[in-house]
Amino acid sequence: MLRRLDADDLAYLSESLSEDVRRAVYASLDEHDLSRVRSSSAYEEGTVGHLMSSDVLTIREDTSLGDVLAELRRRGELPDATDAVFVVDVRNILRGVLPLKALLVGDPSVRVAEAMKEALVALLPED
């Protein structure tokens, strides 16, 4: 049953598993998922880094809404519980969020920077 969990949920539960069960489950993961579990588990319990999902979408602020939609279609699926896309600059620094609603109903020629919401609370993984 544990092998069916996504990496974020498994990382959250891993501390409550016995060492034998944890090793068996980790051995069944592919390298990508194992890396995500280990990354999350590296943070202390109760911190943002331990609880946050690593499966998020980011887009550049200088991209058009039409290009974002085309990229999402190419991917074919969204991470679970996606209701917005995180907007970053060229240095990969968080600048805002673009709600999916704004993406879907917005003019495809508009730049993400014009449609995003800048007011957001950002936390560090150690918080």
Side-chain angles (χ1 to χ4, degrees):
M1 182 170 54
L2 292 171
R3 289 183 181 121
R4 288 186 237 157
L5 292 176
D6 74 12
D8 294 319
D9 292 336
L10 186 57
Y12 180 74
L13 293 173
S14 67
E15 292 170 3
S16 63
L17 302 173
S18 72
E19 185 63 31
D20 292 341
V21 171
R22 189 177 322 140
R23 256 189 301 223
V25 172
Y26 285 9
S28 72
L29 297 175
D30 64 31
E31 195 60 38
H32 175 73
D33 285 341
L34 183 58
S35 173
R36 287 177 49 198
V37 169
R38 286 187 173 147
S39 176
S40 178
S41 298
Y43 293 98
E44 288 184 38
E45 188 172 346
T47 63
V48 172
H50 185 75
L51 299 171
M52 71 183 182
S53 173
S54 59
D55 195 13
V56 297
L57 294 173
T58 60
I59 54 172
R60 295 264 305 270
E61 62 186 343
D62 58 351
T63 307
S64 73
L65 296 182
D67 288 343
V68 174
L69 282 171
E71 174 60 26
L72 293 179
R73 286 187 182 110
R74 272 192 294 277
R75 288 176 179 241
E77 64 180 55
L78 298 175
D80 291 339
T82 299
D83 61 351
V85 181
F86 293 99
V87 180
V88 296
D89 64 15
V90 294
R91 296 173 304 174
N92 210 32
I93 295 174
L94 181 65
R95 294 297 178 202
V97 294
L98 180 66
L100 288 184
K101 180 178 180 180
L103 177 62
L104 294 173
V105 301
D107 179 344
S109 66
V110 168
R111 296 279 168 214
V112 168
E114 298 170 52
M116 72 181 192
K117 293 184 178 186
E118 293 179 21
L120 58 104
V121 176
L123 301 170
L124 297 173
E126 296 81 19
D127 292 343

